[in-house]
Amino acid sequence: MIENFAPDLPEAEARVLFVTQGPLSGTTFKDAPTKAAWRSKPSWFVVSANDRVVSPQMERDFAARMNAKTTVLESGHLALLSHPADVAAVIDEAVASLHVPA
């Protein structure tokens, strides 16, 4: 868990994740969407270049298939936690590009 799932995090934070992370729900992969939003809407994707849980090449392939604006971070699987400012910048860029009224 610590070496593969959370290698970029401080050890204490990784250990907390290790003892609190539960299994995925049994229904996680049972529901199938009827229409993929990425087929008709702009998409953004953060590739974690050092991911040991999901292949970074697979992440790149998913992003390419979605025609997503792609950002590559030198991060393990938990880029949301290890690179929060970079991930927030991608979200901010997405929101700004959509001209969503406040």
Side-chain angles (χ1 to χ4, degrees), residues 29-35:
F29 300 108
K30 289 184 180 179
D31 294 334
T34 57
K35 184 177 180 183

Side-chain angles (χ1 to χ4, degrees), residues 7-89:
D8 303 348
L9 299 180
E11 186 175 344
E13 187 175 351
R15 288 188 179 284
V16 168
L17 287 172
F18 178 70
V19 298
T20 59
Q21 177 72 34
L24 292 173
S25 166
T27 62
T28 299
F29 300 108
K30 289 184 180 179
D31 294 334
T34 57
K35 184 177 180 183
W38 58 263
R39 292 189 188 271
S40 60
K41 299 187 181 307
S43 299
W44 287 259
F45 201 105
V46 173
V47 171
S48 296
N50 302 320
D51 201 329
R52 293 181 183 175
V53 177
V54 177
S55 160
Q57 185 58 53
M58 185 184 301
E59 294 175 23
R60 288 181 184 92
D61 293 345
F62 287 152
R65 182 173 181 204
M66 295 165 54
N67 196 31
K69 166 82 169 96
T70 303
T71 300
V72 178
L73 298 179
E74 292 300 320
S75 169
H77 188 68
L78 298 176
L80 288 167
L81 298 177
S82 63
H83 293 81
D86 295 321
V87 174

